[in-house]
Amino acid sequence: MHALTRRSVLRGGAVALPFAGLAACSAEDEQPTQSFVETDSERVAAAEEARSPGAIREFQLNAVESEVDLGGLIVPTWSYGGRVPGEPIRLTKGEQVKAVLTNDLPEETTIHWHGVQLRCDADGVPDVTQPAIAPGEAYTYQFTVPDPGTYWFHPHVGVQLDRGLYAPLIVEDPDEAADWDLEWTVVLDDWMDGVTGTPGDVLDQLTSGMGMMDHGGMDMGLMADGHMLMGASSDILGPDAGDVFYPHHLVNGRIAADPEVFEAEPGARVRIRFINAGGDTAYRIALAGHRMTVTHTDGFPCVPVEADAILVGMGERYDVVVTLEDGVFALVAEAEGKQARGRALLRTGSGEAPAADFAPDELTGHVLAYEELEPAEEVALEGREPDRVIDLELTGGMEDFDWSINGKPHDLDNPYAIEEGERVRLRFVNGEDMWHPMHLHGHTFALADSGLRKDTAIVLPGQTLEVDFDAVNPGRWMVHCHNLYHGEAGMMAVLGYLM
Ligand SMILES: [Cu+2]
């Protein structure tokens, strides 16, 4: 393991972070001296010890460059073990993941364990919680998974997530009263890698300032220009639902023309765990001929609610339960605003599969909104006024692709201070006409209005969204947009626990 003994001290507006080695010495913006908890400190170890780490479960992960078959479409990409999605990790709450990642990619990488309230030094953020793993090197992540639910993992380096580097992490609860017969994990992903270019090409075009006109309100319809998409409007997400053109939308690593088929008996109850691993696409999901009962948001249980369709932003997860009808049904993931779809099939009887572009009526039925959801009683945060409120204005825009938080791109060297034991409120203030799925590492917050537990929440155009969490997991934690390209352009900040 790496050794972090140096205290990071905020001096003159700059903090020396481990590994970063780039304490910018700006004399402006004087702030009081603040010291933040180191990610491999005693405080972090004590928080892990308090989780009563259980049995160690070992997993070997190999990040590789190879060809992958996406259902008759063979593409060169990067993945875990040569498959997309990677093999799921499944274990029981309270157990420890011990995952050895071997990096056979031509670039540095890391793994971030999305949504898990884990020890900070296993969080996988380069230069904040660990040094990036060099090509040819291996790295061991070991951490306890305290909460059951649907999680996933992916790199936290550059735009690697928009290749095939992602997989589910499912944490089971032995005490859960299971009222379903079967489980189906469904991972959604927008795909361009090895077809129209690479994620790096996309980022280059988005940040080049070339070709991006102000398309808000111009109503010119949907237009693609290279990797860029204009006019992707949504009645829910606003005039700009996404900016990247993807030739395919994958459901469990397969294109719509050759979908995965899930087979079951009619009448069976199936728990479906949806994970949006996309880079720039929200998915509106519906199962033809069925209503879904939503039971979990981002791993945590909610009061069950029925819906025809759910809208899942990048990084979000929903669990639903459905009772299966008799026949062949399309599970469709519509790329919100992009006029494109991915799908899988669910077969319980005989019959013809619908055409690849079939759009079930449920997509335009009742789409679940956050306002309808409440946390299950056992996961509701206790009522408490916030001790600290942090305003995070979502700044920047499409024209210069200069996304940032409070006007500061990639502001990783100046953590927003929080104190262990506090109830912290984050106020995401969005004054622009772009939506953002905002993700907090290491904690599951509660929407201030309803108490709904989530770790990634859509902030709509013009909206101010308040979320609360208890500061019980010391360390340095990213808060960032899970639109991969917004995050990489700079919409990232860090919360730091004070020493
Ligand atoms: Cu964003």
mmCIF file of all heavy atoms in Angstrom, residues 56-93:
data_model
loop_
_atom_site.group_PDB
_atom_site.id
_atom_site.type_symbol
_atom_site.label_atom_id
_atom_site.label_comp_id
_atom_site.label_asym_id
_atom_site.label_seq_id
_atom_site.Cartn_x
_atom_site.Cartn_y
_atom_site.Cartn_z
ATOM 1 N N ILE A 56 -13.919 -12.451 4.130
ATOM 2 C CA ILE A 56 -13.274 -11.876 2.939
ATOM 3 C C ILE A 56 -13.644 -12.711 1.721
ATOM 4 O O ILE A 56 -13.497 -13.930 1.726
ATOM 5 C CB ILE A 56 -11.748 -11.832 3.116
ATOM 6 C CG1 ILE A 56 -11.386 -10.877 4.255
ATOM 7 C CG2 ILE A 56 -11.062 -11.423 1.823
ATOM 8 C CD1 ILE A 56 -9.917 -10.900 4.625
ATOM 9 N N ARG A 57 -14.148 -12.048 0.708
ATOM 10 C CA ARG A 57 -14.477 -12.715 -0.565
ATOM 11 C C ARG A 57 -13.524 -12.190 -1.628
ATOM 12 O O ARG A 57 -13.467 -10.993 -1.865
ATOM 13 C CB ARG A 57 -15.928 -12.416 -0.947
ATOM 14 C CG ARG A 57 -16.961 -12.827 0.112
ATOM 15 C CD ARG A 57 -17.293 -14.312 0.022
ATOM 16 N NE ARG A 57 -17.597 -14.692 -1.350
ATOM 17 C CZ ARG A 57 -18.790 -14.514 -1.940
ATOM 18 N NH1 ARG A 57 -19.785 -13.985 -1.261
ATOM 19 N NH2 ARG A 57 -18.973 -14.865 -3.188
ATOM 20 N N GLU A 58 -12.800 -13.102 -2.261
ATOM 21 C CA GLU A 58 -11.768 -12.675 -3.212
ATOM 22 C C GLU A 58 -12.269 -12.694 -4.647
ATOM 23 O O GLU A 58 -12.972 -13.621 -5.056
ATOM 24 C CB GLU A 58 -10.542 -13.583 -3.077
ATOM 25 C CG GLU A 58 -9.860 -13.395 -1.732
ATOM 26 C CD GLU A 58 -8.441 -13.932 -1.721
ATOM 27 O OE1 GLU A 58 -7.752 -13.847 -2.757
ATOM 28 O OE2 GLU A 58 -8.031 -14.446 -0.663
ATOM 29 N N PHE A 59 -11.887 -11.658 -5.380
ATOM 30 C CA PHE A 59 -12.260 -11.544 -6.791
ATOM 31 C C PHE A 59 -11.030 -11.110 -7.582
ATOM 32 O O PHE A 59 -10.286 -10.237 -7.140
ATOM 33 C CB PHE A 59 -13.381 -10.516 -6.978
ATOM 34 C CG PHE A 59 -14.612 -10.839 -6.167
ATOM 35 C CD1 PHE A 59 -14.762 -10.325 -4.878
ATOM 36 C CD2 PHE A 59 -15.598 -11.668 -6.672
ATOM 37 C CE1 PHE A 59 -15.888 -10.633 -4.119
ATOM 38 C CE2 PHE A 59 -16.727 -11.978 -5.912
ATOM 39 C CZ PHE A 59 -16.866 -11.465 -4.634
ATOM 40 N N GLN A 60 -10.840 -11.714 -8.744
ATOM 41 C CA GLN A 60 -9.754 -11.318 -9.646
ATOM 42 C C GLN A 60 -10.370 -10.537 -10.793
ATOM 43 O O GLN A 60 -11.286 -11.028 -11.458
ATOM 44 C CB GLN A 60 -9.042 -12.565 -10.211
ATOM 45 C CG GLN A 60 -8.400 -13.450 -9.166
ATOM 46 C CD GLN A 60 -7.210 -12.792 -8.483
ATOM 47 O OE1 GLN A 60 -6.496 -11.990 -9.093
ATOM 48 N NE2 GLN A 60 -7.003 -13.123 -7.209
ATOM 49 N N LEU A 61 -9.879 -9.349 -10.995
ATOM 50 C CA LEU A 61 -10.388 -8.511 -12.085
ATOM 51 C C LEU A 61 -9.219 -8.170 -13.001
ATOM 52 O O LEU A 61 -8.154 -7.793 -12.520
ATOM 53 C CB LEU A 61 -10.999 -7.226 -11.539
ATOM 54 C CG LEU A 61 -12.217 -7.412 -10.642
ATOM 55 C CD1 LEU A 61 -12.553 -6.111 -9.938
ATOM 56 C CD2 LEU A 61 -13.396 -7.895 -11.480
ATOM 57 N N ASN A 62 -9.455 -8.304 -14.294
ATOM 58 C CA ASN A 62 -8.410 -8.013 -15.249
ATOM 59 C C ASN A 62 -8.939 -7.020 -16.276
ATOM 60 O O ASN A 62 -9.849 -7.349 -17.033
ATOM 61 C CB ASN A 62 -7.993 -9.340 -15.917
ATOM 62 C CG ASN A 62 -6.709 -9.219 -16.693
ATOM 63 O OD1 ASN A 62 -6.044 -8.190 -16.619
ATOM 64 N ND2 ASN A 62 -6.377 -10.239 -17.432
ATOM 65 N N ALA A 63 -8.412 -5.811 -16.244
ATOM 66 C CA ALA A 63 -8.808 -4.807 -17.237
ATOM 67 C C ALA A 63 -8.000 -5.054 -18.501
ATOM 68 O O ALA A 63 -6.766 -4.991 -18.462
ATOM 69 C CB ALA A 63 -8.567 -3.404 -16.701
ATOM 70 N N VAL A 64 -8.687 -5.364 -19.588
ATOM 71 C CA VAL A 64 -7.991 -5.788 -20.808
ATOM 72 C C VAL A 64 -8.500 -5.029 -22.038
ATOM 73 O O VAL A 64 -9.622 -4.533 -22.074
ATOM 74 C CB VAL A 64 -8.171 -7.304 -21.075
ATOM 75 C CG1 VAL A 64 -7.546 -8.121 -19.966
ATOM 76 C CG2 VAL A 64 -9.650 -7.674 -21.247
ATOM 77 N N GLU A 65 -7.633 -5.040 -23.035
ATOM 78 C CA GLU A 65 -7.953 -4.515 -24.351
ATOM 79 C C GLU A 65 -8.202 -5.740 -25.218
ATOM 80 O O GLU A 65 -7.319 -6.599 -25.332
ATOM 81 C CB GLU A 65 -6.698 -3.766 -24.826
ATOM 82 C CG GLU A 65 -6.829 -2.900 -26.010
ATOM 83 C CD GLU A 65 -5.503 -2.162 -26.268
ATOM 84 O OE1 GLU A 65 -4.458 -2.587 -25.759
ATOM 85 O OE2 GLU A 65 -5.554 -1.171 -26.987
ATOM 86 N N SER A 66 -9.405 -5.876 -25.790
ATOM 87 C CA SER A 66 -9.667 -7.063 -26.605
ATOM 88 C C SER A 66 -10.878 -6.803 -27.487
ATOM 89 O O SER A 66 -11.529 -5.766 -27.375
ATOM 90 C CB SER A 66 -9.955 -8.284 -25.715
ATOM 91 O OG SER A 66 -11.212 -8.124 -25.063
ATOM 92 N N GLU A 67 -11.169 -7.758 -28.347
ATOM 93 C CA GLU A 67 -12.413 -7.671 -29.100
ATOM 94 C C GLU A 67 -13.523 -8.288 -28.272
ATOM 95 O O GLU A 67 -13.319 -9.257 -27.541
ATOM 96 C CB GLU A 67 -12.275 -8.401 -30.435
ATOM 97 C CG GLU A 67 -11.364 -7.661 -31.390
ATOM 98 C CD GLU A 67 -11.518 -8.139 -32.824
ATOM 99 O OE1 GLU A 67 -11.794 -9.346 -33.007
ATOM 100 O OE2 GLU A 67 -11.367 -7.316 -33.745
ATOM 101 N N VAL A 68 -14.714 -7.693 -28.389
ATOM 102 C CA VAL A 68 -15.875 -8.171 -27.648
ATOM 103 C C VAL A 68 -17.042 -8.289 -28.614
ATOM 104 O O VAL A 68 -17.224 -7.436 -29.489
ATOM 105 C CB VAL A 68 -16.216 -7.191 -26.492
ATOM 106 C CG1 VAL A 68 -17.547 -7.535 -25.859
ATOM 107 C CG2 VAL A 68 -15.109 -7.212 -25.436
ATOM 108 N N ASP A 69 -17.833 -9.350 -28.460
ATOM 109 C CA ASP A 69 -18.999 -9.584 -29.315
ATOM 110 C C ASP A 69 -20.239 -8.993 -28.639
ATOM 111 O O ASP A 69 -20.661 -9.459 -27.582
ATOM 112 C CB ASP A 69 -19.165 -11.096 -29.520
ATOM 113 C CG ASP A 69 -20.307 -11.432 -30.469
ATOM 114 O OD1 ASP A 69 -21.104 -10.528 -30.830
ATOM 115 O OD2 ASP A 69 -20.404 -12.617 -30.851
ATOM 116 N N LEU A 70 -20.806 -7.958 -29.258
ATOM 117 C CA LEU A 70 -21.976 -7.293 -28.683
ATOM 118 C C LEU A 70 -23.276 -7.814 -29.314
ATOM 119 O O LEU A 70 -24.266 -7.097 -29.366
ATOM 120 C CB LEU A 70 -21.867 -5.771 -28.886
ATOM 121 C CG LEU A 70 -20.604 -5.107 -28.332
ATOM 122 C CD1 LEU A 70 -20.590 -3.620 -28.667
ATOM 123 C CD2 LEU A 70 -20.482 -5.314 -26.818
ATOM 124 N N GLY A 71 -23.261 -9.042 -29.811
ATOM 125 C CA GLY A 71 -24.434 -9.599 -30.484
ATOM 126 C C GLY A 71 -24.277 -9.481 -31.995
ATOM 127 O O GLY A 71 -25.073 -8.804 -32.639
ATOM 128 N N GLY A 72 -23.248 -10.116 -32.530
ATOM 129 C CA GLY A 72 -22.974 -10.051 -33.959
ATOM 130 C C GLY A 72 -22.164 -8.830 -34.361
ATOM 131 O O GLY A 72 -21.673 -8.758 -35.478
ATOM 132 N N LEU A 73 -22.027 -7.900 -33.467
ATOM 133 C CA LEU A 73 -21.200 -6.710 -33.710
ATOM 134 C C LEU A 73 -19.939 -6.882 -32.876
ATOM 135 O O LEU A 73 -19.995 -6.840 -31.637
ATOM 136 C CB LEU A 73 -21.947 -5.443 -33.292
ATOM 137 C CG LEU A 73 -21.152 -4.136 -33.381
ATOM 138 C CD1 LEU A 73 -20.923 -3.738 -34.838
ATOM 139 C CD2 LEU A 73 -21.871 -3.017 -32.638
ATOM 140 N N ILE A 74 -18.816 -7.113 -33.573
ATOM 141 C CA ILE A 74 -17.560 -7.363 -32.856
ATOM 142 C C ILE A 74 -16.722 -6.094 -32.887
ATOM 143 O O ILE A 74 -16.458 -5.538 -33.948
ATOM 144 C CB ILE A 74 -16.821 -8.564 -33.478
ATOM 145 C CG1 ILE A 74 -17.677 -9.820 -33.231
ATOM 146 C CG2 ILE A 74 -15.434 -8.723 -32.871
ATOM 147 C CD1 ILE A 74 -17.274 -11.026 -34.023
ATOM 148 N N VAL A 75 -16.386 -5.628 -31.691
ATOM 149 C CA VAL A 75 -15.690 -4.345 -31.595
ATOM 150 C C VAL A 75 -14.438 -4.486 -30.729
ATOM 151 O O VAL A 75 -14.414 -5.267 -29.779
ATOM 152 C CB VAL A 75 -16.596 -3.257 -30.969
ATOM 153 C CG1 VAL A 75 -17.801 -2.970 -31.849
ATOM 154 C CG2 VAL A 75 -17.044 -3.642 -29.560
ATOM 155 N N PRO A 76 -13.410 -3.696 -31.043
ATOM 156 C CA PRO A 76 -12.273 -3.601 -30.127
ATOM 157 C C PRO A 76 -12.648 -2.651 -28.991
ATOM 158 O O PRO A 76 -13.164 -1.568 -29.232
ATOM 159 C CB PRO A 76 -11.165 -2.996 -31.001
ATOM 160 C CG PRO A 76 -11.901 -2.189 -32.033
ATOM 161 C CD PRO A 76 -13.229 -2.868 -32.257
ATOM 162 N N THR A 77 -12.421 -3.070 -27.757
ATOM 163 C CA THR A 77 -12.750 -2.190 -26.634
ATOM 164 C C THR A 77 -11.930 -2.576 -25.423
ATOM 165 O O THR A 77 -11.060 -3.451 -25.504
ATOM 166 C CB THR A 77 -14.264 -2.225 -26.327
ATOM 167 O OG1 THR A 77 -14.587 -1.188 -25.393
ATOM 168 C CG2 THR A 77 -14.680 -3.581 -25.750
ATOM 169 N N TRP A 78 -12.202 -1.916 -24.312
ATOM 170 C CA TRP A 78 -11.584 -2.242 -23.026
ATOM 171 C C TRP A 78 -12.688 -2.750 -22.114
ATOM 172 O O TRP A 78 -13.796 -2.200 -22.097
ATOM 173 C CB TRP A 78 -10.942 -1.011 -22.398
ATOM 174 C CG TRP A 78 -9.863 -0.389 -23.232
ATOM 175 C CD1 TRP A 78 -9.395 -0.817 -24.454
ATOM 176 C CD2 TRP A 78 -9.127 0.798 -22.909
ATOM 177 N NE1 TRP A 78 -8.414 0.025 -24.898
ATOM 178 C CE2 TRP A 78 -8.229 1.031 -23.977
ATOM 179 C CE3 TRP A 78 -9.135 1.679 -21.833
ATOM 180 C CZ2 TRP A 78 -7.347 2.114 -23.988
ATOM 181 C CZ3 TRP A 78 -8.251 2.757 -21.837
ATOM 182 C CH2 TRP A 78 -7.361 2.967 -22.902
ATOM 183 N N SER A 79 -12.360 -3.803 -21.377
ATOM 184 C CA SER A 79 -13.393 -4.403 -20.520
ATOM 185 C C SER A 79 -12.728 -5.122 -19.363
ATOM 186 O O SER A 79 -11.508 -5.223 -19.298
ATOM 187 C CB SER A 79 -14.220 -5.406 -21.336
ATOM 188 O OG SER A 79 -13.386 -6.498 -21.722
ATOM 189 N N TYR A 80 -13.556 -5.604 -18.445
ATOM 190 C CA TYR A 80 -13.058 -6.473 -17.375
ATOM 191 C C TYR A 80 -13.186 -7.914 -17.848
ATOM 192 O O TYR A 80 -14.296 -8.422 -18.040
ATOM 193 C CB TYR A 80 -13.848 -6.245 -16.086
ATOM 194 C CG TYR A 80 -13.673 -4.853 -15.521
ATOM 195 C CD1 TYR A 80 -14.757 -4.006 -15.331
ATOM 196 C CD2 TYR A 80 -12.396 -4.378 -15.189
ATOM 197 C CE1 TYR A 80 -14.583 -2.723 -14.824
ATOM 198 C CE2 TYR A 80 -12.221 -3.097 -14.692
ATOM 199 C CZ TYR A 80 -13.312 -2.277 -14.509
ATOM 200 O OH TYR A 80 -13.123 -1.007 -14.017
ATOM 201 N N GLY A 81 -12.060 -8.524 -18.114
ATOM 202 C CA GLY A 81 -12.054 -9.935 -18.462
ATOM 203 C C GLY A 81 -12.577 -10.256 -19.846
ATOM 204 O O GLY A 81 -12.948 -11.398 -20.121
ATOM 205 N N GLY A 82 -12.668 -9.269 -20.728
ATOM 206 C CA GLY A 82 -13.089 -9.540 -22.104
ATOM 207 C C GLY A 82 -14.579 -9.687 -22.268
ATOM 208 O O GLY A 82 -15.046 -10.164 -23.302
ATOM 209 N N ARG A 83 -15.373 -9.290 -21.267
ATOM 210 C CA ARG A 83 -16.823 -9.343 -21.422
ATOM 211 C C ARG A 83 -17.467 -8.033 -20.977
ATOM 212 O O ARG A 83 -16.961 -7.338 -20.109
ATOM 213 C CB ARG A 83 -17.448 -10.549 -20.701
ATOM 214 C CG ARG A 83 -17.048 -10.716 -19.260
ATOM 215 C CD ARG A 83 -17.827 -11.843 -18.611
ATOM 216 N NE ARG A 83 -19.134 -11.381 -18.137
ATOM 217 C CZ ARG A 83 -20.015 -12.139 -17.518
ATOM 218 N NH1 ARG A 83 -19.753 -13.418 -17.300
ATOM 219 N NH2 ARG A 83 -21.175 -11.643 -17.116
ATOM 220 N N VAL A 84 -18.599 -7.731 -21.624
ATOM 221 C CA VAL A 84 -19.351 -6.498 -21.365
ATOM 222 C C VAL A 84 -20.810 -6.848 -21.109
ATOM 223 O O VAL A 84 -21.429 -7.471 -21.962
ATOM 224 C CB VAL A 84 -19.268 -5.533 -22.572
ATOM 225 C CG1 VAL A 84 -20.130 -4.300 -22.347
ATOM 226 C CG2 VAL A 84 -17.834 -5.118 -22.859
ATOM 227 N N PRO A 85 -21.363 -6.504 -19.937
ATOM 228 C CA PRO A 85 -20.690 -5.975 -18.759
ATOM 229 C C PRO A 85 -19.723 -7.007 -18.176
ATOM 230 O O PRO A 85 -19.803 -8.193 -18.507
ATOM 231 C CB PRO A 85 -21.851 -5.732 -17.776
ATOM 232 C CG PRO A 85 -23.106 -5.808 -18.559
ATOM 233 C CD PRO A 85 -22.808 -6.704 -19.724
ATOM 234 N N GLY A 86 -18.837 -6.567 -17.291
ATOM 235 C CA GLY A 86 -17.982 -7.514 -16.597
ATOM 236 C C GLY A 86 -18.805 -8.439 -15.711
ATOM 237 O O GLY A 86 -19.963 -8.157 -15.406
ATOM 238 N N GLU A 87 -18.168 -9.540 -15.325
ATOM 239 C CA GLU A 87 -18.848 -10.497 -14.445
ATOM 240 C C GLU A 87 -19.286 -9.811 -13.148
ATOM 241 O O GLU A 87 -18.494 -9.133 -12.502
ATOM 242 C CB GLU A 87 -17.890 -11.635 -14.123
ATOM 243 C CG GLU A 87 -18.466 -12.618 -13.151
ATOM 244 C CD GLU A 87 -18.068 -14.049 -13.502
ATOM 245 O OE1 GLU A 87 -17.093 -14.229 -14.254
ATOM 246 O OE2 GLU A 87 -18.734 -14.945 -13.004
ATOM 247 N N PRO A 88 -20.562 -9.986 -12.765
ATOM 248 C CA PRO A 88 -21.014 -9.330 -11.532
ATOM 249 C C PRO A 88 -20.271 -9.849 -10.306
ATOM 250 O O PRO A 88 -19.914 -11.024 -10.233
ATOM 251 C CB PRO A 88 -22.494 -9.717 -11.442
ATOM 252 C CG PRO A 88 -22.880 -10.134 -12.816
ATOM 253 C CD PRO A 88 -21.641 -10.704 -13.445
ATOM 254 N N ILE A 89 -20.052 -8.953 -9.358
ATOM 255 C CA ILE A 89 -19.607 -9.345 -8.027
ATOM 256 C C ILE A 89 -20.853 -9.406 -7.166
ATOM 257 O O ILE A 89 -21.664 -8.484 -7.161
ATOM 258 C CB ILE A 89 -18.597 -8.327 -7.470
ATOM 259 C CG1 ILE A 89 -17.249 -8.500 -8.163
ATOM 260 C CG2 ILE A 89 -18.463 -8.470 -5.951
ATOM 261 C CD1 ILE A 89 -16.161 -7.572 -7.650
ATOM 262 N N ARG A 90 -21.011 -10.518 -6.456
ATOM 263 C CA ARG A 90 -22.204 -10.699 -5.636
ATOM 264 C C ARG A 90 -21.760 -11.214 -4.273
ATOM 265 O O ARG A 90 -20.990 -12.180 -4.193
ATOM 266 C CB ARG A 90 -23.120 -11.719 -6.317
ATOM 267 C CG ARG A 90 -24.500 -11.851 -5.713
ATOM 268 C CD ARG A 90 -25.345 -12.833 -6.531
ATOM 269 N NE ARG A 90 -26.157 -12.167 -7.522
ATOM 270 C CZ ARG A 90 -27.394 -11.701 -7.290
ATOM 271 N NH1 ARG A 90 -27.942 -11.837 -6.102
ATOM 272 N NH2 ARG A 90 -28.077 -11.114 -8.242
ATOM 273 N N LEU A 91 -22.191 -10.565 -3.235
ATOM 274 C CA LEU A 91 -21.834 -11.024 -1.896
ATOM 275 C C LEU A 91 -22.879 -10.550 -0.893
ATOM 276 O O LEU A 91 -23.890 -9.954 -1.285
ATOM 277 C CB LEU A 91 -20.417 -10.589 -1.512
ATOM 278 C CG LEU A 91 -20.074 -9.134 -1.237
ATOM 279 C CD1 LEU A 91 -18.642 -9.053 -0.734
ATOM 280 C CD2 LEU A 91 -20.218 -8.269 -2.464
ATOM 281 N N THR A 92 -22.648 -10.890 0.356
ATOM 282 C CA THR A 92 -23.626 -10.612 1.402
ATOM 283 C C THR A 92 -23.175 -9.411 2.215
ATOM 284 O O THR A 92 -21.977 -9.233 2.453
ATOM 285 C CB THR A 92 -23.764 -11.848 2.306
ATOM 286 O OG1 THR A 92 -24.210 -12.937 1.495
ATOM 287 C CG2 THR A 92 -24.772 -11.629 3.424
ATOM 288 N N LYS A 93 -24.138 -8.627 2.640
ATOM 289 C CA LYS A 93 -23.806 -7.416 3.406
ATOM 290 C C LYS A 93 -22.970 -7.778 4.629
ATOM 291 O O LYS A 93 -23.194 -8.814 5.262
ATOM 292 C CB LYS A 93 -25.073 -6.672 3.823
ATOM 293 C CG LYS A 93 -25.799 -7.274 4.990
ATOM 294 C CD LYS A 93 -26.815 -6.291 5.583
ATOM 295 C CE LYS A 93 -27.503 -6.973 6.750
ATOM 296 N NZ LYS A 93 -28.473 -6.178 7.451
#
